[in-house]
Amino acid sequence: MPKTITLQLSPKQAADEKFYLARAAERLGIRQSDIALARVIKRSIDARQRMAKVNLSLEIYIDKEPMPAPLNFDYPAVDNGTEVIVVGSGPAGLFASLRLIELGFKPILLERGKSVLSRKYDIAQINRGGDINPDSNYAFGEGGAGTFSDGKLFTRSKKRGDYNKALQTLVWHGANPEILYEAHPHIGTDKLPRIISNICHTITEHGGKVLFESRVSGFVVKNNRITGVKVGDNTIEGAAVVLATGHSARDIYELLHKEGIAIEAKPFAMGVRIEHPQHLIDSIQYHRAERGEWLPAASYSLVSQEAGRGVYSFCMCPGGFIVPAMTDTRQSVVNGMSPSGRNSAFANSGLVTEVRLEDFAHLREEWGELAGLRYQQLFEELAREHSGERQVAPAQRVSDFVAGRASKSLPRTSYIPGLTPSRLDEWMPENIGARLRSGIATFGRRMKGFVSDEAIVVGVESRTSTPVRIPRDSETLMHTQIEGLFPAGEGAGYAGGIVSAALDGERIADAVARYCKAHNF
Ligand SMILES: Cc1cc2nc3c(=O)[nH]c(=O)nc-3n(C[C@H](O)[C@H](O)[C@H](O)COP(=O)(O)OP(=O)(O)OC[C@H]3O[C@@H](n4cnc5c(N)ncnc54)[C@H](O)[C@@H]3O)c2cc1C
């Protein structure tokens, strides 16, 4: 049996393998040469003290003990398997497809956007203030919304086995094995595209199909059973349909609504993106002027209750960039991403508050279950009215936002299309703006320096979660009304983030397999 030990080290010592192996041997009372294999199984930073420490847990194999078997994913060939349609190549759709292959089914993966290579070009255009391709942007295209992101791999799921398998799947497809033991693993936007295209390659190599620029615009439903989907003038048939279109696919919600297929309005969250100079967050979190060479860019996670509702930070991107995440020119929507080295001069994070059903009750009569979606859209359009040309976003210094005064100028930003000073404190709906202002003031009391002239709020962060749920049966995981339709991932309202969407995709694939077997498909 390997021995497990945890060492508390300085950041420099934790980066020095020779040093920590010597320390481990000493702790175990063995010679360093007796160590046949040492695996880091967990690494976390404890920055509560003046001098930050790294807790490093190691699994030590001594001499000829049996080593762990190398990781191997043995996907079968599914060329002749039952065809299952998967709509959307985000984490939910990709992991559903991989799991379907493991189970012997042939996924036909339909993606409205382009492959990552062509998508990169469209994204560069958006950043340059060019046109927004409604099918190829930060939300749509190979890999979905997670491809050009920070690639944080966080989940609240308690199923560690499933979580570890998801991380190992990413490592198998090219992610750095460090994600297996980091306390807060992330991949980075420079690495994600290659991993995503490797996953698509696995799908096609084993007999599945991946079809880009294939936007689903209709469902083929007979006697309350779905038998296929429409892409342009073509009909594609399959034994079941996994609908994993993400929360930006408004046309899909509208289509379901129009076809009388049940959807439900649900609470969600909206707010702003907040950006600080990274050195400011480092100095607050590490209690010193300079973070130095060995510590990573610092992050934070904040939550408070303001006037009876939660206000919280979300999708923090240390050393990152704010990006234009709209899917259409009529909106102003921002989000965040970071490269693997998290080495930009800025720290950004979503700062959002709950939006409840009563906030959009006035839209219910006209919009029915799409009322929350409409409320979200109006918020984004309001932000657009206060924006500049193209993707120039409205922004205010954090100190001014909290104090309720105009910003005459703005500090430097990571947001490439540029910013225009705007009174976010005035034009945001009261239920959002007032809570954010008092929430930020609360955070400023906890993190001295958080409310700063050097920091900005940028409008708007509106796509943190979906305002619509596509209901599914809790046992079969199938749509409550349409047989063979399996809503999955974030857009269906059952996930939030890359890993939870991936895990939901896997679960849905298992449910599809049960359904197909029960019906001999
Ligand atoms: C900039 C940014 C940064 C983010 N950073 C992180 C992070 O660091 N960590 C994290 O956990 N989460 C992050 N997220 C959120 C994360 O990306 C999502 O939670 C996750 O991608 C949801 O997965 P999904 O598969 O459910 O949907 P999506 O990823 O949204 O994928 C849906 C896919 O369906 C396709 N599609 C839509 N409609 C159709 C149609 N009609 N026909 C065919 N295809 C269609 C879309 O093009 C898209 O590719 C970030 C999001 C953004 C935008």
Side-chain angles (χ1 to χ4, degrees), residues 11 26 50 59 75-76 91 94 102 146 195 228 253 268 278 288 308 328 336 340 343 356 379 464 495 512:
E26 189 184 301
R50 262 214 97 56
E59 203 169 59
Y75 295 101
L94 289 177
E102 283 179 339
I195 297 166
Y253 297 128
F268 58 109
Q278 181 62 52
R288 49 175 156 161
D328 164 329
S340 53
N343 50 5
R356 296 190 179 163
F379 187 55
T464 58
V512 168

Side-chain angles (χ1 to χ4, degrees), residues 87-93 110-113 138-141 143-146 148-152 154 214-216 244-247 249 251-252 315 323 325 335-337 488-491 496-499 501:
V87 191
S89 73
L110 304 174
E111 168 55 54
R112 72 193 296 161
Y138 274 96
F140 297 154
F148 299 97
S149 78
D150 180 56
K152 270 177 293 301
F154 172 76
S214 299
R215 178 160 53 80
V216 169
T245 42
H247 63 23
D251 47 356
I252 285 290
C315 184
V323 298
N335 210 307
M337 70 177 194
E490 192 164 47
I498 295 171
V499 175

